Coordinates of all heavy atoms in Angstrom, one line a residue:
T1081 N -0.8 3.4 10.4 CA 0.6 3.1 10.3 C 1.0 3.1 8.9 O 0.3 2.7 8.0 CB 1.0 1.8 11.0 OG1 0.5 0.7 10.2 CG2 0.4 1.6 12.4
G1082 N 2.3 3.6 8.6 CA 2.8 3.6 7.3 C 2.1 4.7 6.4 O 2.1 4.6 5.2
G1083 N 1.6 5.8 7.1 CA 0.9 6.8 6.4 C 1.7 7.7 5.5 O 1.2 8.4 4.7
A1084 N 3.0 7.6 5.6 CA 3.9 8.4 4.7 C 4.3 7.7 3.5 O 5.0 8.2 2.6 CB 5.1 8.9 5.5
G1085 N 3.8 6.4 3.4 CA 4.1 5.6 2.2 C 3.1 5.9 1.1 O 2.3 6.8 1.2
F1086 N 3.1 5.0 0.1 CA 2.3 5.2 -1.1 C 0.8 5.0 -0.7 O 0.0 6.0 -0.7 CB 2.7 4.1 -2.1 CG 1.8 3.9 -3.2 CD1 1.2 5.0 -4.0 CD2 1.4 2.6 -3.6 CE1 0.4 4.7 -5.0 CE2 0.6 2.4 -4.7 CZ 0.1 3.4 -5.4
I1087 N 0.3 3.8 -0.3 CA -1.1 3.7 -0.1 C -1.5 4.4 1.2 O -2.6 5.1 1.2 CB -1.5 2.1 0.0 CG1 -1.0 1.4 -1.2 CG2 -3.0 2.0 0.3 CD1 -1.1 -0.1 -1.1
G1088 N -0.7 4.3 2.2 CA -1.0 5.0 3.5 C -1.3 6.5 3.3 O -2.2 7.0 3.9
L1107 N 1.4 7.2 12.0 CA 2.7 6.7 12.6 C 3.6 6.1 11.5 O 3.2 5.2 10.8 CB 2.3 5.6 13.6 CG 3.5 4.8 14.0 CD1 4.3 5.4 15.2 CD2 3.1 3.4 14.4
D1108 N 4.8 6.7 11.4 CA 5.7 6.2 10.4 C 7.1 6.3 10.8 O 7.5 7.3 11.4 CB 5.4 7.0 9.1 CG 5.9 6.2 7.8 OD1 7.1 6.0 7.7 OD2 5.0 5.8 7.0
K1109 N 7.9 5.3 10.5 CA 9.3 5.3 10.8 C 10.1 6.2 9.8 O 11.3 6.5 10.1 CB 9.8 3.9 10.8 CG 11.3 3.7 11.2 CD 11.7 2.2 11.1 CE 13.1 2.0 11.4 NZ 13.5 0.6 11.2
L1110 N 9.5 6.5 8.7 CA 10.2 7.2 7.6 C 11.4 6.4 7.1 O 12.5 6.9 7.2 CB 10.6 8.7 8.0 CG 9.4 9.6 8.3 CD1 9.9 11.0 8.6 CD2 8.3 9.6 7.1
T1111 N 11.2 5.2 6.7 CA 12.2 4.4 6.0 C 12.4 5.1 4.7 O 11.8 6.1 4.3 CB 11.8 3.0 5.8 OG1 10.7 3.0 4.9 CG2 11.4 2.3 7.1
Y1112 N 13.3 4.4 3.8 CA 13.5 5.0 2.5 C 12.1 5.2 1.8 O 12.0 6.1 0.9 CB 14.4 4.0 1.7 CG 13.6 2.9 1.1 CD1 13.0 2.9 -0.2 CD2 13.3 1.7 1.9 CE1 12.2 1.9 -0.6 CE2 12.5 0.7 1.4 CZ 11.9 0.8 0.2 OH 11.1 -0.2 -0.3
A1113 N 11.1 4.4 2.1 CA 9.8 4.5 1.4 C 8.9 5.5 2.0 O 7.8 5.8 1.4 CB 9.1 3.1 1.4
G1114 N 9.2 6.1 3.1 CA 8.3 7.0 3.8 C 8.7 8.5 3.4 O 9.9 8.8 3.4
N1115 N 7.7 9.3 3.0 CA 8.0 10.6 2.4 C 6.9 11.5 2.8 O 5.8 11.4 2.3 CB 8.1 10.4 0.9 CG 8.6 11.7 0.2 OD1 8.7 12.8 0.8 ND2 8.8 11.6 -1.1
A1133 N 7.9 7.0 14.5 CA 8.3 5.9 15.4 C 8.3 4.6 14.6 O 7.8 4.5 13.5 CB 7.3 5.8 16.5
D1134 N 8.9 3.6 15.3 CA 9.0 2.2 14.7 C 8.0 1.3 15.3 O 7.9 1.2 16.5 CB 10.5 1.7 15.0 CG 10.8 0.5 14.3 OD1 9.9 -0.3 13.9 OD2 12.0 0.2 14.2
I1135 N 7.2 0.6 14.4 CA 6.2 -0.3 15.0 C 6.8 -1.4 15.8 O 6.1 -2.1 16.5 CB 5.3 -0.9 13.9 CG1 6.1 -1.5 12.7 CG2 4.3 0.2 13.4 CD1 5.2 -2.3 11.8
C1136 N 8.1 -1.7 15.6 CA 8.8 -2.7 16.4 C 9.1 -2.3 17.8 O 9.6 -3.1 18.6 CB 10.1 -3.2 15.7 SG 9.8 -3.8 14.0
H1155 N -3.5 -0.6 9.8 CA -2.1 -1.0 9.8 C -1.6 -1.2 8.4 O -1.9 -2.3 7.8 CB -1.9 -2.2 10.7 CG -0.5 -2.8 10.7 ND1 0.6 -2.0 10.7 CD2 -0.1 -4.0 10.7 CE1 1.7 -2.7 10.7 NE2 1.3 -4.0 10.7
L1156 N -0.8 -0.3 7.9 CA -0.2 -0.4 6.5 C 1.3 -0.5 6.6 O 1.9 -0.9 5.6 CB -0.6 0.7 5.6 CG -2.1 0.9 5.3 CD1 -2.7 2.1 6.0 CD2 -2.3 1.0 3.8
A1157 N 1.9 -0.1 7.7 CA 3.4 0.0 7.7 C 4.0 -1.4 7.4 O 3.6 -2.4 8.0 CB 3.9 0.5 9.1
A1158 N 4.9 -1.4 6.5 CA 5.5 -2.6 6.1 C 6.7 -2.4 5.2 O 6.8 -1.3 4.6 CB 4.5 -3.5 5.3
E1159 N 7.5 -3.3 5.0 CA 8.5 -3.4 3.9 C 7.7 -4.0 2.8 O 7.1 -5.1 2.9 CB 9.7 -4.2 4.2 CG 10.6 -3.6 5.2 CD 11.4 -2.4 4.7 OE1 11.5 -2.3 3.5 OE2 11.8 -1.6 5.5
S1160 N 7.6 -3.3 1.6 CA 6.6 -3.7 0.6 C 7.2 -4.2 -0.7 O 6.4 -4.6 -1.6 CB 5.7 -2.5 0.3 OG 6.4 -1.4 -0.3
T1175 N 10.2 -6.2 10.3 CA 9.1 -5.2 10.2 C 7.7 -5.8 10.1 O 6.8 -5.4 10.8 CB 9.4 -4.2 9.0 OG1 10.6 -3.5 9.3 CG2 8.2 -3.2 8.8
I1203 N -3.8 -4.4 6.7 CA -3.8 -4.3 5.2 C -2.8 -5.4 4.7 O -1.6 -5.3 5.0 CB -3.4 -2.9 4.7 CG1 -4.2 -1.8 5.4 CG2 -3.5 -2.8 3.2 CD1 -5.7 -1.9 5.2
S1204 N -3.3 -6.3 3.9 CA -2.4 -7.3 3.3 C -2.5 -7.4 1.8 O -3.2 -6.6 1.2 CB -2.6 -8.7 4.0 OG -1.6 -9.5 3.7
T1205 N -1.9 -8.4 1.3 CA -1.7 -8.5 -0.1 C -2.2 -9.8 -0.7 O -2.3 -10.8 0.0 CB -0.2 -8.4 -0.4 OG1 0.1 -8.7 -1.8 CG2 0.6 -9.4 0.4
D1206 N -2.5 -9.8 -2.0 CA -2.9 -11.0 -2.7 C -1.8 -12.0 -2.8 O -2.0 -13.2 -3.1 CB -3.6 -10.7 -4.1 CG -2.6 -10.0 -5.0 OD1 -1.5 -9.7 -4.7 OD2 -3.1 -9.8 -6.2
Y1231 N 8.9 -11.6 1.0 CA 7.9 -10.5 1.3 C 6.6 -11.2 1.5 O 5.9 -10.9 2.6 CB 7.8 -9.6 0.1 CG 6.5 -8.7 0.1 CD1 6.3 -7.7 1.0 CD2 5.5 -9.0 -0.8 CE1 5.1 -7.0 1.1 CE2 4.3 -8.2 -0.8 CZ 4.1 -7.2 0.1 OH 3.0 -6.5 0.2
K1235 N 4.2 -11.3 5.0 CA 2.8 -10.8 5.0 C 1.9 -11.9 5.5 O 1.0 -11.7 6.2 CB 2.4 -10.2 3.7 CG 3.1 -8.9 3.3 CD 2.9 -7.7 4.2 CE 1.5 -7.2 4.1 NZ 1.3 -5.9 4.9
C1258 N -5.2 -7.3 -1.0 CA -5.4 -6.5 -2.2 C -4.4 -6.8 -3.3 O -3.3 -7.2 -3.0 CB -5.4 -5.0 -1.8 SG -5.8 -3.9 -3.2
S1259 N -4.8 -6.5 -4.5 CA -3.9 -6.7 -5.7 C -3.0 -5.5 -5.9 O -3.0 -4.6 -5.1 CB -4.8 -6.9 -6.9 OG -5.6 -5.8 -7.2
N1260 N -2.3 -5.4 -7.0 CA -1.3 -4.4 -7.3 C -2.0 -3.0 -7.4 O -2.9 -2.8 -8.2 CB -0.6 -4.6 -8.6 CG 0.4 -5.7 -8.5 OD1 0.1 -6.9 -8.1 ND2 1.7 -5.4 -8.7
N1261 N -1.5 -2.1 -6.6 CA -2.0 -0.7 -6.7 C -1.1 0.1 -7.6 O 0.1 -0.1 -7.7 CB -1.9 0.0 -5.3 CG -3.0 -0.5 -4.3 OD1 -3.5 0.2 -3.5 ND2 -3.4 -1.8 -4.4
Q1266 N 3.7 6.7 -5.7 CA 4.3 5.4 -5.5 C 5.8 5.5 -5.6 O 6.3 6.1 -6.6 CB 3.7 4.4 -6.5 CG 4.1 3.0 -6.2 CD 3.3 1.9 -7.0 OE1 2.9 2.2 -8.1 NE2 3.2 0.7 -6.4
F1267 N 6.5 4.8 -4.8 CA 8.0 4.9 -4.8 C 8.5 4.3 -6.1 O 8.1 3.2 -6.5 CB 8.6 4.1 -3.6 CG 10.0 4.5 -3.3 CD1 10.3 5.6 -2.6 CD2 11.0 3.8 -3.8 CE1 11.6 6.0 -2.3 CE2 12.3 4.1 -3.6 CZ 12.6 5.2 -2.9
E1269 N 10.6 2.5 -7.3 CA 11.2 1.2 -7.5 C 10.2 0.2 -8.0 O 10.6 -0.9 -8.6 CB 11.7 0.6 -6.1 CG 10.5 0.4 -5.1 CD 10.9 0.1 -3.7 OE1 12.1 -0.1 -3.4 OE2 10.0 0.2 -2.8
K1270 N 8.9 0.6 -8.0 CA 7.8 -0.3 -8.4 C 7.6 -0.1 -9.9 O 7.9 1.0 -10.4 CB 6.5 0.0 -7.7 CG 6.7 0.0 -6.1 CD 6.7 -1.4 -5.6 CE 6.8 -1.6 -4.1 NZ 6.9 -0.6 -3.1
H1303 N -8.6 1.7 -3.7 CA -8.2 0.9 -2.6 C -8.5 1.7 -1.3 O -9.1 1.1 -0.3 CB -6.7 0.5 -2.6 CG -6.3 -0.5 -1.6 ND1 -4.9 -0.8 -1.4 CD2 -6.9 -1.2 -0.7 CE1 -4.8 -1.7 -0.4 NE2 -6.0 -1.9 0.0
Ligands
NAD1376 P1 5.3 1.7 0.9 O1 6.6 0.9 0.9 O2 5.1 2.7 -0.1 O3 5.1 2.3 2.4 C1 5.4 1.7 3.6 C2 5.4 2.7 4.7 O4 5.7 2.0 5.9 C3 6.5 3.7 4.5 O5 6.0 5.0 4.8 C4 7.5 3.3 5.6 O6 8.3 4.4 6.1 C5 6.6 2.7 6.7 N1 7.4 1.8 7.5 C6 8.2 0.7 7.1 N2 8.7 0.1 8.2 C7 8.2 0.7 9.3 C8 8.3 0.5 10.7 N3 9.1 -0.4 11.2 N4 7.6 1.3 11.5 C9 6.8 2.3 11.1 N5 6.7 2.6 9.8 C10 7.3 1.8 8.9 O7 4.2 0.6 0.9 P2 2.8 0.6 0.1 O8 2.9 0.1 -1.2 O9 2.1 1.8 0.4 O10 2.0 -0.6 0.9 C11 1.3 -0.3 2.2 C12 0.8 -1.6 2.7 O11 -0.1 -2.2 1.8 C13 1.8 -2.7 3.0 O12 1.4 -3.4 4.2 C14 1.7 -3.6 1.8 O13 2.1 -4.9 2.1 C15 0.2 -3.5 1.4 N6 -0.1 -3.7 0.0 C16 0.5 -3.0 -1.0 C17 0.1 -3.2 -2.3 C18 0.8 -2.4 -3.4 O14 0.4 -2.7 -4.6 N7 1.6 -1.4 -3.1 C19 -0.9 -4.1 -2.6 C20 -1.5 -4.8 -1.6 C21 -1.1 -4.6 -0.3

Side-chain angles (χ1 to χ4, degrees):
T1081 71
F1086 166 47
I1087 303 171
L1107 164 87
D1108 201 294
K1109 184 183 174 183
L1110 299 182
T1111 66
Y1112 79 93
N1115 185 353
D1134 187 337
I1135 53 166
C1136 301
H1155 175 39
L1156 297 109
E1159 288 293 336
S1160 67
T1175 296
I1203 309 299
S1204 191
T1205 171
D1206 60 358
Y1231 164 70
K1235 291 296 291 187
C1258 187
S1259 62
N1260 285 61
N1261 285 213
Q1266 187 167 30
F1267 196 84
E1269 62 189 351
K1270 308 284 181 358
H1303 188 190

